[in-house]
Amino acid sequence: MKKEVVLKIINDAKKIMISLDPETIEELEMEIEIILKHFDRVKKINTKNVEPMFFVDETPIENIRNGNEIENIDREIILKNAPSKKNNFITITKVVSND
């Protein structure tokens, strides 16, 4: 399982054009080993008689902000200041490969 996780990380890194050197890959393998051991410990926790929770903290929330409308900036002003645009959209340099 550890090797599968490391290979997935390496593959995902390539997709976003990040190269990982062998030293970094070795560090990742050690960290993943530790993480997987922690998950194995969590899996052993008996949750048989535990009620499911929808939120980690089910304390009532009393200070929710008001739904005040905020001022929107006009699209034309934004596009006017954009360094690169196409068809009313701001364009950026590609950061993810198609592999």
Side-chain angles (χ1 to χ4, degrees):
M1 168 117 183
K2 177 180 81 169
K3 272 290 189 214
E4 292 171 14
V5 174
V6 172
L7 290 173
K8 178 154 178 35
I9 291 171
I10 293 169
N11 189 39
D12 289 346
K14 286 179 185 176
K15 287 180 182 177
I16 57 173
M17 299 178 196
I18 295 175
S19 59
L20 301 173
D21 58 64
E23 184 179 299
T24 303
I25 293 171
E26 191 174 312
E27 288 176 23
L28 275 172
E29 288 176 337
M30 291 187 299
E31 290 176 12
I32 288 170
E33 181 74 32
I34 293 168
I35 292 168
L36 292 175
K37 284 180 183 178
H38 286 300
F39 272 108
D40 286 339
R41 290 176 58 199
V42 170
K43 287 179 186 177
K44 293 177 184 176
I45 297 172
N46 181 359
T47 58
K48 199 172 213 168
N49 296 318
V50 177
E51 291 286 326
M53 295 175 67
F54 295 100
F55 301 99
V56 175
D57 181 15
E58 292 191 345
T59 306
I61 300 171
E62 297 182 19
N63 58 345
I64 297 177
R65 66 181 174 93
N66 294 331
N68 298 335
E69 189 175 324
I70 59 171
E71 180 182 342
N72 291 320
I73 302 173
D74 187 55
R75 178 189 302 241
E76 290 182 23
I77 294 172
I78 294 172
L79 290 172
K80 183 178 175 184
N81 290 311
S84 173
K85 56 189 170 267
K86 181 179 181 181
N87 298 331
N88 286 331
F89 291 98
I90 297 172
T91 57
I92 61 169
T93 304
K94 184 177 179 179
V95 293
V96 179
S97 69
N98 292 332
D99 297 348

